[in-house]
Amino acid sequence: MTETRDDDQLKDLFQAARACPQDPGAPLLARVLQDAEAELAARQTSAGSRTVSVRQTTQRDWGTGWVRALGGWPAAAGLSLATCAGVWIGVAAPEALTRIAQSVMSGGSEPDVFIFADGFGLNEEAM
Amino acid sequence: MEMPFDTDPDVSDDVLLARFARGEASAARVLTLRLTPVVMAHAFRLLGNRAEAEDVTQDAMLRLWRMAPDWQPGTARVTTWLYRVTANLCIDRLRRTARSAPLDTVDEPPDERDGPAETLQMRARSAALQRALDTLPDRQRQAVVLRHIDELSNPEIAGIMDISVEAVESLLARGKRALVAVLAGRKDDLGMLQ
């Protein structure tokens, strides 16, 4: 067979080639290893940056997330106003409210609407 | 730079690459010692030029380091992947430089300090083979080097070159026939069989 004859003629050369490999040498080995170490360092730096980025995003959400949960700033403003009104009423309640509260707390009958109206400057005639 | 010997001969390339992907620098040292010579030897046989082979070797190993996190253990051999990457880099380089003629593979003059005559003859034969390999088409050269110098099987070569085993056999037959023809004029110098 042609192939066998070719193999016979080449086998000594192939054997010589296997016996004389090109040694990479220390400088090339060092460069390859430096590349590996640089790749490891780059990966660690990249992972650290991603961690900081996630942390920052979380902190930002903590400051504004509740506003989004309420439906935005208009809704948050309305809630704030209602809260302030409630505090004001509690601190400086009109006289009529005070009487109603006392009536209710003492187990009295239904509060008198007219008494309620009176505390707000509305006279009975207007009612 | 003094490099330690491969201290983990029983640990597979797969395992070492996974360790490297997890950040173990020691795995990088072992892989460097183990795989760089393989890549360098293959690149030199494909390019016929040491300086270019060194560039390709460093490039191929750099791709290995970058690919490590995505490596799927058990799907293929690391060396198979490296052979393929090395060959692609070599062929790209050859096509970029539009090298139609073989490179000047300068024979190193015999040095009496190199040892016995047998060693000198081995080196002469190796250099002559390289000059002949340089004349082959890229794919024939790749197949012949993988089979007869790197000593891989035809199925392994088929996997690396992404062709059928029959195609590998065809490349080998044509490549060796061409080598014999090129070397015919130097039979006596090389002590080749008639």
mmCIF file of all heavy atoms in Angstrom, chain A residues 6-7 9-10 12-14 16-20 22-24 29-33 35-36 39-40 43, chain B residues 1 20-21 23 29 32 40 44-45 50 54 58 65-66 122 125 129 148-149 151 176 180 183 192-193:
data_model
loop_
_atom_site.group_PDB
_atom_site.id
_atom_site.type_symbol
_atom_site.label_atom_id
_atom_site.label_comp_id
_atom_site.label_asym_id
_atom_site.label_seq_id
_atom_site.Cartn_x
_atom_site.Cartn_y
_atom_site.Cartn_z
ATOM 1 N N ASP A 6 4.840 5.205 2.480
ATOM 2 C CA ASP A 6 5.070 6.577 2.928
ATOM 3 C C ASP A 6 5.367 6.595 4.418
ATOM 4 O O ASP A 6 6.272 7.316 4.872
ATOM 5 C CB ASP A 6 3.843 7.449 2.629
ATOM 6 C CG ASP A 6 3.670 7.700 1.138
ATOM 7 O OD1 ASP A 6 4.661 7.527 0.387
ATOM 8 O OD2 ASP A 6 2.552 8.045 0.727
ATOM 9 N N ASP A 7 4.606 5.834 5.175
ATOM 10 C CA ASP A 7 4.837 5.785 6.614
ATOM 11 C C ASP A 7 6.251 5.306 6.919
ATOM 12 O O ASP A 7 6.940 5.852 7.782
ATOM 13 C CB ASP A 7 3.832 4.851 7.294
ATOM 14 C CG ASP A 7 2.467 5.501 7.438
ATOM 15 O OD1 ASP A 7 2.397 6.733 7.294
ATOM 16 O OD2 ASP A 7 1.482 4.789 7.686
ATOM 17 N N GLN A 9 8.879 5.560 5.153
ATOM 18 C CA GLN A 9 9.903 6.542 4.789
ATOM 19 C C GLN A 9 9.902 7.739 5.733
ATOM 20 O O GLN A 9 10.901 8.442 5.843
ATOM 21 C CB GLN A 9 9.691 7.015 3.345
ATOM 22 C CG GLN A 9 9.894 5.893 2.344
ATOM 23 C CD GLN A 9 10.045 6.406 0.930
ATOM 24 O OE1 GLN A 9 10.921 7.203 0.650
ATOM 25 N NE2 GLN A 9 9.179 5.948 0.039
ATOM 26 N N LEU A 10 8.807 7.955 6.364
ATOM 27 C CA LEU A 10 8.702 9.143 7.207
ATOM 28 C C LEU A 10 8.864 8.862 8.695
ATOM 29 O O LEU A 10 9.050 9.796 9.473
ATOM 30 C CB LEU A 10 7.331 9.811 6.978
ATOM 31 C CG LEU A 10 7.103 10.400 5.591
ATOM 32 C CD1 LEU A 10 5.648 10.799 5.427
ATOM 33 C CD2 LEU A 10 8.013 11.590 5.342
ATOM 34 N N ASP A 12 11.117 7.730 10.669
ATOM 35 C CA ASP A 12 12.318 8.211 11.357
ATOM 36 C C ASP A 12 12.262 9.722 11.551
ATOM 37 O O ASP A 12 12.709 10.251 12.576
ATOM 38 C CB ASP A 12 13.577 7.833 10.577
ATOM 39 C CG ASP A 12 13.857 6.335 10.626
ATOM 40 O OD1 ASP A 12 13.323 5.669 11.550
ATOM 41 O OD2 ASP A 12 14.591 5.834 9.762
ATOM 42 N N LEU A 13 11.722 10.410 10.566
ATOM 43 C CA LEU A 13 11.606 11.865 10.681
ATOM 44 C C LEU A 13 10.590 12.253 11.744
ATOM 45 O O LEU A 13 10.824 13.187 12.522
ATOM 46 C CB LEU A 13 11.199 12.471 9.333
ATOM 47 C CG LEU A 13 12.210 12.317 8.196
ATOM 48 C CD1 LEU A 13 11.656 12.921 6.919
ATOM 49 C CD2 LEU A 13 13.540 12.969 8.538
ATOM 50 N N PHE A 14 9.481 11.545 11.741
ATOM 51 C CA PHE A 14 8.487 11.833 12.769
ATOM 52 C C PHE A 14 9.056 11.548 14.160
ATOM 53 O O PHE A 14 8.824 12.302 15.107
ATOM 54 C CB PHE A 14 7.224 11.009 12.544
ATOM 55 C CG PHE A 14 6.411 11.456 11.364
ATOM 56 C CD1 PHE A 14 5.824 10.523 10.507
ATOM 57 C CD2 PHE A 14 6.213 12.798 11.096
ATOM 58 C CE1 PHE A 14 5.066 10.931 9.418
ATOM 59 C CE2 PHE A 14 5.462 13.213 10.006
ATOM 60 C CZ PHE A 14 4.896 12.287 9.163
ATOM 61 N N ALA A 16 12.156 11.726 15.043
ATOM 62 C CA ALA A 16 13.089 12.815 15.352
ATOM 63 C C ALA A 16 12.340 14.070 15.781
ATOM 64 O O ALA A 16 12.752 14.766 16.726
ATOM 65 C CB ALA A 16 13.953 13.113 14.122
ATOM 66 N N ALA A 17 11.240 14.355 15.113
ATOM 67 C CA ALA A 17 10.456 15.552 15.474
ATOM 68 C C ALA A 17 9.903 15.425 16.887
ATOM 69 O O ALA A 17 9.904 16.389 17.656
ATOM 70 C CB ALA A 17 9.322 15.747 14.477
ATOM 71 N N ARG A 18 9.435 14.241 17.256
ATOM 72 C CA ARG A 18 8.903 14.032 18.612
ATOM 73 C C ARG A 18 10.007 14.150 19.651
ATOM 74 O O ARG A 18 9.772 14.595 20.776
ATOM 75 C CB ARG A 18 8.236 12.656 18.710
ATOM 76 C CG ARG A 18 6.909 12.553 17.966
ATOM 77 C CD ARG A 18 6.160 11.292 18.352
ATOM 78 N NE ARG A 18 6.873 10.074 17.956
ATOM 79 C CZ ARG A 18 6.732 9.480 16.765
ATOM 80 N NH1 ARG A 18 5.914 10.003 15.866
ATOM 81 N NH2 ARG A 18 7.396 8.373 16.484
ATOM 82 N N ALA A 19 11.212 13.774 19.258
ATOM 83 C CA ALA A 19 12.341 13.834 20.212
ATOM 84 C C ALA A 19 12.907 15.239 20.355
ATOM 85 O O ALA A 19 13.690 15.487 21.280
ATOM 86 C CB ALA A 19 13.449 12.879 19.752
ATOM 87 N N CYS A 20 12.544 16.129 19.472
ATOM 88 C CA CYS A 20 13.084 17.497 19.502
ATOM 89 C C CYS A 20 11.963 18.528 19.555
ATOM 90 O O CYS A 20 11.820 19.350 18.638
ATOM 91 C CB CYS A 20 13.940 17.758 18.263
ATOM 92 S SG CYS A 20 15.295 16.610 18.048
ATOM 93 N N GLN A 22 9.859 21.867 20.578
ATOM 94 C CA GLN A 22 10.226 23.238 20.896
ATOM 95 C C GLN A 22 9.856 23.523 22.352
ATOM 96 O O GLN A 22 8.694 23.617 22.696
ATOM 97 C CB GLN A 22 9.481 24.216 19.970
ATOM 98 C CG GLN A 22 10.034 24.258 18.561
ATOM 99 C CD GLN A 22 11.367 24.973 18.494
ATOM 100 O OE1 GLN A 22 11.548 26.000 19.129
ATOM 101 N NE2 GLN A 22 12.309 24.426 17.724
ATOM 102 N N ASP A 23 10.847 23.638 23.171
ATOM 103 C CA ASP A 23 10.617 23.920 24.585
ATOM 104 C C ASP A 23 10.120 25.359 24.740
ATOM 105 O O ASP A 23 10.709 26.265 24.149
ATOM 106 C CB ASP A 23 11.927 23.723 25.358
ATOM 107 C CG ASP A 23 11.760 23.992 26.820
ATOM 108 O OD1 ASP A 23 10.731 23.573 27.386
ATOM 109 O OD2 ASP A 23 12.656 24.623 27.410
ATOM 110 N N PRO A 24 9.074 25.595 25.489
ATOM 111 C CA PRO A 24 8.573 26.966 25.608
ATOM 112 C C PRO A 24 9.576 27.919 26.257
ATOM 113 O O PRO A 24 9.599 29.102 25.923
ATOM 114 C CB PRO A 24 7.310 26.833 26.469
ATOM 115 C CG PRO A 24 7.421 25.511 27.128
ATOM 116 C CD PRO A 24 8.227 24.646 26.241
ATOM 117 N N LEU A 29 6.810 30.778 29.773
ATOM 118 C CA LEU A 29 6.043 30.225 30.895
ATOM 119 C C LEU A 29 5.663 31.331 31.869
ATOM 120 O O LEU A 29 4.534 31.379 32.368
ATOM 121 C CB LEU A 29 6.846 29.141 31.608
ATOM 122 C CG LEU A 29 7.042 27.821 30.850
ATOM 123 C CD1 LEU A 29 8.056 26.937 31.561
ATOM 124 C CD2 LEU A 29 5.722 27.076 30.691
ATOM 125 N N ALA A 30 6.603 32.219 32.133
ATOM 126 C CA ALA A 30 6.333 33.324 33.066
ATOM 127 C C ALA A 30 5.246 34.247 32.527
ATOM 128 O O ALA A 30 4.361 34.681 33.269
ATOM 129 C CB ALA A 30 7.618 34.105 33.327
ATOM 130 N N ARG A 31 5.292 34.529 31.226
ATOM 131 C CA ARG A 31 4.268 35.415 30.636
ATOM 132 C C ARG A 31 2.885 34.762 30.710
ATOM 133 O O ARG A 31 1.884 35.426 31.020
ATOM 134 C CB ARG A 31 4.624 35.723 29.180
ATOM 135 C CG ARG A 31 5.832 36.623 29.015
ATOM 136 C CD ARG A 31 5.860 37.252 27.633
ATOM 137 N NE ARG A 31 5.967 36.293 26.543
ATOM 138 C CZ ARG A 31 7.110 35.787 26.095
ATOM 139 N NH1 ARG A 31 8.242 36.119 26.666
ATOM 140 N NH2 ARG A 31 7.121 34.939 25.081
ATOM 141 N N VAL A 32 2.829 33.487 30.420
ATOM 142 C CA VAL A 32 1.550 32.764 30.469
ATOM 143 C C VAL A 32 0.983 32.800 31.889
ATOM 144 O O VAL A 32 -0.214 33.039 32.093
ATOM 145 C CB VAL A 32 1.735 31.312 29.972
ATOM 146 C CG1 VAL A 32 0.502 30.476 30.280
ATOM 147 C CG2 VAL A 32 2.028 31.290 28.477
ATOM 148 N N LEU A 33 1.849 32.579 32.866
ATOM 149 C CA LEU A 33 1.388 32.586 34.251
ATOM 150 C C LEU A 33 0.957 33.990 34.679
ATOM 151 O O LEU A 33 -0.033 34.154 35.400
ATOM 152 C CB LEU A 33 2.480 32.054 35.171
ATOM 153 C CG LEU A 33 2.083 31.907 36.646
ATOM 154 C CD1 LEU A 33 0.873 31.000 36.804
ATOM 155 C CD2 LEU A 33 3.246 31.358 37.473
ATOM 156 N N ASP A 35 -0.360 36.213 32.784
ATOM 157 C CA ASP A 35 -1.688 36.421 32.188
ATOM 158 C C ASP A 35 -2.761 35.763 33.048
ATOM 159 O O ASP A 35 -3.846 36.321 33.243
ATOM 160 C CB ASP A 35 -1.733 35.837 30.774
ATOM 161 C CG ASP A 35 -0.972 36.678 29.764
ATOM 162 O OD1 ASP A 35 -0.683 37.846 30.077
ATOM 163 O OD2 ASP A 35 -0.667 36.153 28.673
ATOM 164 N N ALA A 36 -2.471 34.576 33.550
ATOM 165 C CA ALA A 36 -3.443 33.864 34.389
ATOM 166 C C ALA A 36 -3.722 34.649 35.665
ATOM 167 O O ALA A 36 -4.877 34.816 36.071
ATOM 168 C CB ALA A 36 -2.918 32.469 34.737
ATOM 169 N N GLU A 39 -5.769 37.704 35.004
ATOM 170 C CA GLU A 39 -7.165 37.339 34.767
ATOM 171 C C GLU A 39 -7.878 37.089 36.089
ATOM 172 O O GLU A 39 -9.022 37.528 36.278
ATOM 173 C CB GLU A 39 -7.234 36.091 33.882
ATOM 174 C CG GLU A 39 -8.630 35.638 33.524
ATOM 175 C CD GLU A 39 -9.438 36.654 32.742
ATOM 176 O OE1 GLU A 39 -8.823 37.550 32.109
ATOM 177 O OE2 GLU A 39 -10.673 36.581 32.793
ATOM 178 N N LEU A 40 -7.215 36.437 37.020
ATOM 179 C CA LEU A 40 -7.803 36.212 38.344
ATOM 180 C C LEU A 40 -8.054 37.533 39.047
ATOM 181 O O LEU A 40 -9.118 37.748 39.640
ATOM 182 C CB LEU A 40 -6.872 35.343 39.196
ATOM 183 C CG LEU A 40 -6.835 33.847 38.904
ATOM 184 C CD1 LEU A 40 -5.837 33.145 39.812
ATOM 185 C CD2 LEU A 40 -8.221 33.234 39.066
ATOM 186 N N ARG A 43 -10.964 39.399 37.546
ATOM 187 C CA ARG A 43 -12.240 38.787 37.912
ATOM 188 C C ARG A 43 -12.637 39.187 39.315
ATOM 189 O O ARG A 43 -13.807 39.464 39.600
ATOM 190 C CB ARG A 43 -12.134 37.272 37.810
ATOM 191 C CG ARG A 43 -13.262 36.640 37.034
ATOM 192 C CD ARG A 43 -13.125 35.159 37.007
ATOM 193 N NE ARG A 43 -12.134 34.695 36.049
ATOM 194 C CZ ARG A 43 -11.492 33.536 36.134
ATOM 195 N NH1 ARG A 43 -11.705 32.731 37.139
ATOM 196 N NH2 ARG A 43 -10.620 33.182 35.212
ATOM 197 N N MET B 1 12.971 32.627 35.666
ATOM 198 C CA MET B 1 12.016 32.331 36.732
ATOM 199 C C MET B 1 11.968 30.841 36.951
ATOM 200 O O MET B 1 11.802 30.050 36.027
ATOM 201 C CB MET B 1 10.639 32.851 36.275
ATOM 202 C CG MET B 1 9.518 32.462 37.183
ATOM 203 S SD MET B 1 7.959 33.076 36.559
ATOM 204 C CE MET B 1 6.860 32.181 37.592
ATOM 205 N N PHE B 20 -9.098 26.777 38.912
ATOM 206 C CA PHE B 20 -8.655 28.093 38.471
ATOM 207 C C PHE B 20 -9.856 29.030 38.366
ATOM 208 O O PHE B 20 -9.789 30.193 38.771
ATOM 209 C CB PHE B 20 -7.927 28.000 37.124
ATOM 210 C CG PHE B 20 -7.640 29.338 36.503
ATOM 211 C CD1 PHE B 20 -6.606 30.112 36.971
ATOM 212 C CD2 PHE B 20 -8.424 29.824 35.477
ATOM 213 C CE1 PHE B 20 -6.342 31.362 36.425
ATOM 214 C CE2 PHE B 20 -8.176 31.064 34.924
ATOM 215 C CZ PHE B 20 -7.137 31.841 35.396
ATOM 216 N N ALA B 21 -10.960 28.530 37.822
ATOM 217 C CA ALA B 21 -12.155 29.357 37.664
ATOM 218 C C ALA B 21 -12.662 29.850 39.017
ATOM 219 O O ALA B 21 -13.266 30.920 39.116
ATOM 220 C CB ALA B 21 -13.244 28.568 36.942
ATOM 221 N N GLY B 23 -10.702 30.641 41.383
ATOM 222 C CA GLY B 23 -9.745 31.615 41.903
ATOM 223 C C GLY B 23 -8.467 31.050 42.472
ATOM 224 O O GLY B 23 -7.689 31.780 43.086
ATOM 225 N N ARG B 29 -0.677 27.650 37.983
ATOM 226 C CA ARG B 29 0.737 27.275 37.833
ATOM 227 C C ARG B 29 0.864 25.869 37.251
ATOM 228 O O ARG B 29 1.672 25.621 36.354
ATOM 229 C CB ARG B 29 1.451 27.372 39.181
ATOM 230 C CG ARG B 29 1.757 28.809 39.590
ATOM 231 C CD ARG B 29 2.692 28.843 40.792
ATOM 232 N NE ARG B 29 2.011 28.511 42.039
ATOM 233 C CZ ARG B 29 1.316 29.413 42.758
ATOM 234 N NH1 ARG B 29 1.215 30.652 42.350
ATOM 235 N NH2 ARG B 29 0.738 29.044 43.877
ATOM 236 N N THR B 32 -0.196 25.886 33.621
ATOM 237 C CA THR B 32 0.820 26.544 32.795
ATOM 238 C C THR B 32 1.942 25.581 32.456
ATOM 239 O O THR B 32 2.348 25.447 31.297
ATOM 240 C CB THR B 32 1.385 27.769 33.528
ATOM 241 O OG1 THR B 32 0.351 28.731 33.705
ATOM 242 C CG2 THR B 32 2.522 28.406 32.739
ATOM 243 N N MET B 40 2.848 25.025 22.626
ATOM 244 C CA MET B 40 4.040 25.554 21.945
ATOM 245 C C MET B 40 4.529 24.580 20.876
ATOM 246 O O MET B 40 4.825 24.986 19.739
ATOM 247 C CB MET B 40 5.138 25.818 22.977
ATOM 248 C CG MET B 40 6.437 26.308 22.374
ATOM 249 S SD MET B 40 6.260 27.935 21.619
ATOM 250 C CE MET B 40 7.859 28.041 20.801
ATOM 251 N N PHE B 44 4.435 25.535 16.912
ATOM 252 C CA PHE B 44 5.681 25.606 16.130
ATOM 253 C C PHE B 44 5.601 24.733 14.887
ATOM 254 O O PHE B 44 6.057 25.122 13.807
ATOM 255 C CB PHE B 44 6.878 25.196 16.976
ATOM 256 C CG PHE B 44 8.161 25.206 16.200
ATOM 257 C CD1 PHE B 44 8.805 26.405 15.925
ATOM 258 C CD2 PHE B 44 8.697 24.027 15.701
ATOM 259 C CE1 PHE B 44 9.970 26.418 15.176
ATOM 260 C CE2 PHE B 44 9.861 24.039 14.952
ATOM 261 C CZ PHE B 44 10.504 25.240 14.689
ATOM 262 N N ARG B 45 5.027 23.547 15.045
ATOM 263 C CA ARG B 45 4.948 22.655 13.879
ATOM 264 C C ARG B 45 4.016 23.208 12.809
ATOM 265 O O ARG B 45 4.209 22.963 11.623
ATOM 266 C CB ARG B 45 4.475 21.262 14.307
ATOM 267 C CG ARG B 45 5.507 20.503 15.143
ATOM 268 C CD ARG B 45 6.782 20.282 14.404
ATOM 269 N NE ARG B 45 7.844 19.722 15.251
ATOM 270 C CZ ARG B 45 9.118 19.591 14.859
ATOM 271 N NH1 ARG B 45 9.481 19.981 13.647
ATOM 272 N NH2 ARG B 45 10.007 19.079 15.686
ATOM 273 N N ARG B 50 9.626 30.073 15.527
ATOM 274 C CA ARG B 50 9.534 30.040 16.981
ATOM 275 C C ARG B 50 8.866 31.285 17.560
ATOM 276 O O ARG B 50 8.020 31.198 18.452
ATOM 277 C CB ARG B 50 10.922 29.866 17.602
ATOM 278 C CG ARG B 50 10.792 29.733 19.080
ATOM 279 C CD ARG B 50 12.072 29.545 19.827
ATOM 280 N NE ARG B 50 11.769 29.668 21.256
ATOM 281 C CZ ARG B 50 11.406 28.632 22.042
ATOM 282 N NH1 ARG B 50 11.342 27.422 21.543
ATOM 283 N NH2 ARG B 50 11.116 28.824 23.318
ATOM 284 N N GLU B 54 5.474 31.359 19.768
ATOM 285 C CA GLU B 54 5.380 31.872 21.150
ATOM 286 C C GLU B 54 4.178 32.818 21.281
ATOM 287 O O GLU B 54 3.445 32.762 22.277
ATOM 288 C CB GLU B 54 6.665 32.606 21.538
ATOM 289 C CG GLU B 54 7.840 31.679 21.807
ATOM 290 C CD GLU B 54 9.006 32.395 22.482
ATOM 291 O OE1 GLU B 54 8.840 33.582 22.855
ATOM 292 O OE2 GLU B 54 10.063 31.766 22.637
ATOM 293 N N GLN B 58 0.967 32.103 23.768
ATOM 294 C CA GLN B 58 0.510 33.002 24.827
ATOM 295 C C GLN B 58 -0.952 33.394 24.595
ATOM 296 O O GLN B 58 -1.760 33.449 25.534
ATOM 297 C CB GLN B 58 1.394 34.255 24.885
ATOM 298 C CG GLN B 58 1.088 35.138 26.086
ATOM 299 C CD GLN B 58 2.067 36.285 26.250
ATOM 300 O OE1 GLN B 58 3.036 36.425 25.509
ATOM 301 N NE2 GLN B 58 1.797 37.125 27.245
ATOM 302 N N TRP B 65 -7.559 30.936 29.974
ATOM 303 C CA TRP B 65 -7.830 31.568 31.279
ATOM 304 C C TRP B 65 -9.176 32.286 31.255
ATOM 305 O O TRP B 65 -9.944 32.266 32.219
ATOM 306 C CB TRP B 65 -6.720 32.554 31.641
ATOM 307 C CG TRP B 65 -5.324 32.034 31.644
ATOM 308 C CD1 TRP B 65 -4.215 32.671 31.148
ATOM 309 C CD2 TRP B 65 -4.840 30.771 32.151
ATOM 310 N NE1 TRP B 65 -3.098 31.892 31.319
ATOM 311 C CE2 TRP B 65 -3.452 30.727 31.941
ATOM 312 C CE3 TRP B 65 -5.450 29.680 32.772
ATOM 313 C CZ2 TRP B 65 -2.654 29.646 32.321
ATOM 314 C CZ3 TRP B 65 -4.663 28.612 33.144
ATOM 315 C CH2 TRP B 65 -3.281 28.593 32.926
ATOM 316 N N ARG B 66 -9.477 32.960 30.153
ATOM 317 C CA ARG B 66 -10.711 33.745 30.088
ATOM 318 C C ARG B 66 -11.939 32.864 29.936
ATOM 319 O O ARG B 66 -13.027 33.217 30.368
ATOM 320 C CB ARG B 66 -10.622 34.736 28.924
ATOM 321 C CG ARG B 66 -9.646 35.854 29.207
ATOM 322 C CD ARG B 66 -9.555 36.872 28.099
ATOM 323 N NE ARG B 66 -8.670 37.964 28.528
ATOM 324 C CZ ARG B 66 -8.137 38.847 27.704
ATOM 325 N NH1 ARG B 66 -8.388 38.796 26.420
ATOM 326 N NH2 ARG B 66 -7.342 39.791 28.183
ATOM 327 N N MET B 122 19.305 13.771 14.701
ATOM 328 C CA MET B 122 17.889 13.910 15.055
ATOM 329 C C MET B 122 17.423 15.345 14.782
ATOM 330 O O MET B 122 16.343 15.570 14.235
ATOM 331 C CB MET B 122 17.690 13.572 16.538
ATOM 332 C CG MET B 122 17.960 12.124 16.879
ATOM 333 S SD MET B 122 16.522 11.088 16.532
ATOM 334 C CE MET B 122 15.758 11.085 18.139
ATOM 335 N N ARG B 125 17.133 16.029 11.067
ATOM 336 C CA ARG B 125 15.925 15.416 10.511
ATOM 337 C C ARG B 125 14.676 16.195 10.923
ATOM 338 O O ARG B 125 13.764 16.395 10.121
ATOM 339 C CB ARG B 125 15.804 13.969 10.998
ATOM 340 C CG ARG B 125 16.776 13.015 10.332
ATOM 341 C CD ARG B 125 16.638 11.629 10.900
ATOM 342 N NE ARG B 125 17.511 10.676 10.222
ATOM 343 C CZ ARG B 125 17.636 9.400 10.574
ATOM 344 N NH1 ARG B 125 16.933 8.933 11.594
ATOM 345 N NH2 ARG B 125 18.439 8.600 9.908
ATOM 346 N N LEU B 129 12.177 17.930 8.321
ATOM 347 C CA LEU B 129 10.743 17.623 8.314
ATOM 348 C C LEU B 129 9.935 18.912 8.412
ATOM 349 O O LEU B 129 8.924 19.075 7.726
ATOM 350 C CB LEU B 129 10.394 16.682 9.468
ATOM 351 C CG LEU B 129 8.906 16.367 9.614
ATOM 352 C CD1 LEU B 129 8.394 15.592 8.393
ATOM 353 C CD2 LEU B 129 8.630 15.578 10.889
ATOM 354 N N HIS B 148 1.085 12.288 13.685
ATOM 355 C CA HIS B 148 2.410 11.665 13.718
ATOM 356 C C HIS B 148 3.407 12.354 14.635
ATOM 357 O O HIS B 148 4.472 11.810 14.891
ATOM 358 C CB HIS B 148 2.977 11.591 12.293
ATOM 359 C CG HIS B 148 2.192 10.649 11.432
ATOM 360 N ND1 HIS B 148 2.274 9.274 11.572
ATOM 361 C CD2 HIS B 148 1.283 10.883 10.450
ATOM 362 C CE1 HIS B 148 1.463 8.702 10.692
ATOM 363 N NE2 HIS B 148 0.856 9.648 10.004
ATOM 364 N N ILE B 149 3.096 13.548 15.126
ATOM 365 C CA ILE B 149 3.993 14.196 16.085
ATOM 366 C C ILE B 149 3.306 14.299 17.449
ATOM 367 O O ILE B 149 3.900 13.964 18.469
ATOM 368 C CB ILE B 149 4.435 15.582 15.572
ATOM 369 C CG1 ILE B 149 5.215 15.413 14.265
ATOM 370 C CG2 ILE B 149 5.302 16.286 16.618
ATOM 371 C CD1 ILE B 149 5.678 16.706 13.635
ATOM 372 N N GLU B 151 0.699 12.542 18.109
ATOM 373 C CA GLU B 151 0.284 11.148 18.318
ATOM 374 C C GLU B 151 -1.154 11.013 18.831
ATOM 375 O O GLU B 151 -1.441 10.224 19.743
ATOM 376 C CB GLU B 151 1.258 10.440 19.286
ATOM 377 C CG GLU B 151 2.671 10.358 18.703
ATOM 378 C CD GLU B 151 3.612 9.502 19.525
ATOM 379 O OE1 GLU B 151 4.006 9.951 20.632
ATOM 380 O OE2 GLU B 151 3.956 8.387 19.077
ATOM 381 N N LYS B 176 1.110 12.986 3.668
ATOM 382 C CA LYS B 176 2.340 12.177 3.720
ATOM 383 C C LYS B 176 2.911 11.945 2.326
ATOM 384 O O LYS B 176 4.129 11.919 2.136
ATOM 385 C CB LYS B 176 2.063 10.861 4.436
ATOM 386 C CG LYS B 176 1.937 11.055 5.949
ATOM 387 C CD LYS B 176 1.778 9.773 6.697
ATOM 388 C CE LYS B 176 0.407 9.209 6.546
ATOM 389 N NZ LYS B 176 0.189 8.005 7.398
ATOM 390 N N VAL B 180 6.752 13.030 1.289
ATOM 391 C CA VAL B 180 7.725 12.131 0.664
ATOM 392 C C VAL B 180 8.266 12.746 -0.602
ATOM 393 O O VAL B 180 9.478 12.708 -0.876
ATOM 394 C CB VAL B 180 7.086 10.756 0.385
ATOM 395 C CG1 VAL B 180 7.996 9.901 -0.492
ATOM 396 C CG2 VAL B 180 6.802 10.035 1.694
ATOM 397 N N LEU B 183 10.678 15.574 0.266
ATOM 398 C CA LEU B 183 11.905 15.109 0.917
ATOM 399 C C LEU B 183 12.727 14.187 0.036
ATOM 400 O O LEU B 183 13.838 13.795 0.398
ATOM 401 C CB LEU B 183 11.551 14.379 2.223
ATOM 402 C CG LEU B 183 11.019 15.287 3.337
ATOM 403 C CD1 LEU B 183 10.307 14.464 4.408
ATOM 404 C CD2 LEU B 183 12.152 16.086 3.958
ATOM 405 N N MET B 192 17.131 8.518 4.953
ATOM 406 C CA MET B 192 15.806 7.939 4.776
ATOM 407 C C MET B 192 15.918 6.634 4.013
ATOM 408 O O MET B 192 16.841 6.414 3.233
ATOM 409 C CB MET B 192 14.892 8.895 3.992
ATOM 410 C CG MET B 192 14.333 10.005 4.861
ATOM 411 S SD MET B 192 13.410 11.219 3.871
ATOM 412 C CE MET B 192 12.077 10.213 3.250
ATOM 413 N N LEU B 193 14.932 5.792 4.213
ATOM 414 C CA LEU B 193 14.917 4.532 3.495
ATOM 415 C C LEU B 193 14.668 4.788 2.016
ATOM 416 O O LEU B 193 14.003 5.741 1.645
ATOM 417 C CB LEU B 193 13.801 3.636 4.037
ATOM 418 C CG LEU B 193 13.960 3.207 5.488
ATOM 419 C CD1 LEU B 193 12.738 2.423 5.938
ATOM 420 C CD2 LEU B 193 15.201 2.358 5.646
#
